[in-house]
Structures are given as structure tokens and as C-alpha cells.
Amino acid sequence: MDACLTKAEIRELSHALNLPTADKPALACLATRVPAGTPISRELLHKIETAEQILWDAGFSQVRLRDHGRVARIEIAERDFNKIVLSQIRDQVLAGIRAAGYEQVVLDLQPLKRK
């Protein structure tokens, strides 16, 4: 803020300086993954974190897992759509997210945008 740089400018400078954080995705609070008015508990946040980690471990570059009760809504970058739909990773992701406590897993067709 003090340098009056935008996020895009910081990323550009980070790339130019070969900083290891240059491509680090923005990470918002896990509480932003639930609809407004939904009670937040440690158990719920742990469930979301566990399910989201399945996606990170599968190699997705940008990830948000939205909690809708029994349903997990996955948001990923458009470039990763084929990776999740057309590969064996899909079965691993489904099994992991279901093991985390979700009955249904859906893919949001609106790509996740880097902020």
C-alpha cells in the first residue's frame, strides 16, 4: 500500500525478481467459502480446508471450494477444466472430497479468476 502498487504490478515485479511467491494464488479466509448467514464452526472450516487441500494436492493452480451443506461446489481456473473432467484425477478428487464429508461434488462452470 505504501508503494501504491496494484496486485498486478506486484506480481509483475515478483516475476522480474524471480521471487518464489510470484505465482502464489490469493488465499481468502475459509469463512468466505460459505453462504452468508451460515453458522461458522471449527468443524465446518476444517471440512472445507480438508476438501480444498485435495484439489491443491491434485495440482490445480487456483482453487475455491464452496460449502453448500451436503454439496461441495468446486471453482477452478478455466485452464484446469479438462484436467478435472477428462482424467483419472476426477475419481481421486471425488473420493477425497466425499471422504471429507460432502455427499455431492459439483464443478462451477464459471472459471475462477485470479484477483
Side-chain angles (χ1 to χ4, degrees), residues 3-57:
C4 297
L5 294 171
T6 66
K7 287 183 184 182
E9 290 168 332
I10 291 169
R11 286 194 187 280
E12 186 178 321
L13 288 169
S14 295
H15 276 287
L17 295 170
N18 293 317
L19 296 177
T21 55
D23 287 319
K24 184 176 181 180
L27 298 173
C29 173
L30 290 174
T32 65
R33 311 296 202 277
V34 299
T38 301
I40 305 290
S41 67
R42 286 180 193 246
E43 293 79 16
L44 176 59
L45 295 178
H46 179 70
K47 178 180 167 183
I48 295 166
E49 181 178 37
T50 300
E52 208 167 85
Q53 190 62 50
I54 299 294
L55 296 162
W56 288 115
D57 291 347

Side-chain angles (χ1 to χ4, degrees), residues 10 20 22 24 26-27 35 37 39 43 50 60 63-64 66-67 69 71 81 84 87 89 101 103 105:
I10 291 169
K24 184 176 181 180
L27 298 173
E43 293 79 16
T50 300
F60 292 96
V63 169
R64 290 289 184 274
R66 307 290 180 182
D67 178 274
V71 177
F81 277 18
I84 198 165
S87 72
I89 290 175
E103 292 179 24
V105 182

Side-chain angles (χ1 to χ4, degrees), residues 74 81 107-111:
I74 298 171
F81 277 18
L107 175 63
D108 192 327
L109 295 179
Q110 179 68 41

